[in-house]
Amino acid sequence: MSKIGVMVCGHGSRDEGAVAEFGRFVAAVEKRLPQYPVSSGFLEFARPVLREGLDRLRAQGVDRILAVPGLLFAAGHAKNDMPSVLNTYQAQHPGLTIDYARELAVDLKLLRAAGERIAAAEAAAKTTVPRHETLLLVVGRGTTDPDANSNISKVTRMLWEGMGFGWAETGYSGVTFPLVGPALEHVVRLGYRRVVVFPYFLFTGVLVKRIYAAADEMAARRPDIDILKASYLNDHPLVIETVAERMQEILDGGNVMNCLMCKYREQVLGFEAEVGWPQESHHHHVEGIGTGDAAPARAHEHDHPHDHGHDHGHGHDHGRVPYPGADHPLGPRSMARKGD
């Protein structure tokens, strides 16, 4: 009989606070699932890397691993990079089975958690402003995958309609458009007394800090508008429940990967050149680096030039087909003009 273990797969960050938050997140998952050994690892920048976390489960006698991506939406990391690492590891260890769960996705529990974060920001405000006089700005990470980017718009609409805000808009922290700065420039012109800026993120990091900095800058410029900063999702109990549900979907046979609108498998308007792109990770060169005294997990030797500051504010995707929105005036190009 197989011994099952759970692997929580994180993206990774150069920000030590983000790495610490992920550790607390994994501890909450472990508490929620006491019947299974739980391990974790990062795709890039931080330790342990994915294979080190998998090693820990194998050392405990686990021969079936349920790998859950700690990612809100399925873009390149969830669709290509993580599966590539997991598939390679499984091939290197005969007798081991790794089942990959779907991403957290647009989920009613996550929307409830998001609603609570937004409501908490309103409750902490010094003044009371009716929601019909408030604009909600939901800020997503931003990717080169239009499927993932469109999910943020759906989250925005469901929060807008469910909570009764006067208006709502969507912005992104990098790669795509509109970036948070141009989005804020737009929303303050709409005449609402209050703007709630909500990063739809799991953890802190460079991008969340960038979002909050943009909100602070606009608040200083427009003291006539009450600009609130809501907290990101982090280890909200409903987020932990969603992770447990994704794991259970594997066991129940309901694990459906987000492939219906995947740009690597179907022709998506504007992204037709990416159909059939190989499933391979482009992050081996930054495995385990970026926080504390962590050393690179392996040497990085390949022949394509790049500059991986890796907050993903750049408009390319590791040597893949160029992102068609890279030159949009409200996207990465607007940051370059400011010298960011």
Side-chain angles (χ1 to χ4, degrees):
M1 183 176 180
S2 295
K3 181 176 180 179
I4 296 175
V6 175
M7 176 72 183
V8 184
C9 305
H11 175 271
S13 173
R14 295 183 186 274
D15 188 297
E16 293 188 7
V19 174
E21 285 184 354
F22 182 78
R24 292 190 289 272
F25 180 85
V26 173
V29 172
E30 189 171 16
K31 183 177 180 180
R32 172 63 179 78
L33 301 170
Q35 68 273 39
Y36 300 110
V38 175
S39 186
S40 64
F42 297 101
L43 180 65
E44 57 184 350
F45 294 134
R47 305 294 288 268
V49 298
L50 292 176
R51 65 178 180 279
E52 291 170 338
L54 296 166
D55 286 342
R56 292 177 183 177
L57 289 175
R58 286 182 56 249
Q60 298 177 66
V62 169
D63 58 5
R64 184 184 182 190
I65 296 174
L66 311 181
V68 182
L71 301 171
L72 288 170
F73 300 122
H77 293 320
K79 292 175 178 176
N80 272 5
D81 301 318
M82 285 182 179
S84 173
V85 174
L86 298 174
N87 288 338
T88 299
Y89 189 92
Q90 179 176 259
Q92 293 169 344
H93 298 88
L96 176 68
T97 299
I98 301 177
D99 294 310
Y100 187 54
R102 68 185 175 106
E103 78 287 0
L104 300 182
V106 180
D107 188 279
L108 295 179
K109 289 182 291 301
L110 296 183
L111 290 170
R112 285 165 53 199
E116 290 183 18
R117 296 298 195 218
I118 294 166
E122 293 176 305
K126 295 179 180 179
T127 58
T128 299
V129 176
R131 282 191 177 159
H132 70 271
E133 297 183 52
T134 300
L135 184 146
L136 175 66
L137 175 61
V138 179
V139 184
R141 187 179 190 280
T143 79
T144 60
D145 191 315
D147 185 20
N149 292 335
S150 69
N151 282 329
I152 290 290
S153 295
K154 183 170 184 176
V155 167
T156 299
R157 177 62 198 184
M158 294 187 77
L159 289 172
W160 178 8
E161 191 166 334
M163 300 184 75
F165 287 103
W167 201 264
E169 295 285 349
T170 304
Y172 300 90
S173 65
V175 180
T176 192
F177 57 88
L179 293 183
V180 62
L184 280 166
E185 294 283 356
H186 171 70
V187 302
V188 297
R189 297 188 179 103
L190 299 182
Y192 286 86
R193 292 173 54 193
R194 170 178 284 171
V195 173
V196 179
V197 179
F198 171 53
Y200 195 72
F201 280 65
L202 285 177
F203 310 112
T204 189
V206 173
L207 301 181
V208 170
K209 292 175 181 177
R210 178 185 295 166
I211 294 165
Y212 287 155
D216 288 340
E217 179 183 348
M218 183 57 71
R221 288 172 48 195
R222 294 295 304 269
D224 56 313
I225 301 175
D226 187 20
I227 298 180
L228 304 182
K229 297 180 292 185
S231 177
Y232 44 92
L233 295 172
N234 204 351
D235 58 350
H236 190 289
L238 289 171
V239 178
I240 305 303
E241 282 301 313
T242 306
V243 172
E245 184 176 275
R246 295 295 172 270
M247 183 220 69
Q248 192 62 42
E249 286 175 349
I250 300 175
L251 298 176
D252 293 343
N255 180 30
V256 181
M257 187 59 184
N258 185 358
C259 291
L260 292 177
M261 298 182 68
C262 177
K263 67 174 182 175
Y264 303 118
R265 294 163 181 83
E266 300 290 342
Q267 289 196 0
V268 175
L269 179 66
F271 296 80
E272 293 86 353
E274 299 191 52
V275 175
W277 196 267
Q279 188 179 73
E280 57 186 1
S281 175
H282 293 263
H283 295 79
H284 57 87
H285 53 287
V286 284
E287 283 186 334
I289 66 172
T291 56
D293 58 357
R298 70 176 103 171
H300 173 38
E301 297 180 359
H302 56 48
D303 58 3
H304 63 272
H306 52 67
D307 176 15
H308 285 298
H310 239 285
D311 57 8
H312 287 269
H314 53 269
H316 69 274
D317 192 10
H318 307 284
R320 297 177 179 174
V321 177
Y323 175 54
D327 291 330
H328 192 286
L330 301 184
R333 197 174 80 183
S334 67
M335 295 173 62
R337 287 201 302 268
K338 298 176 182 178
D340 190 348

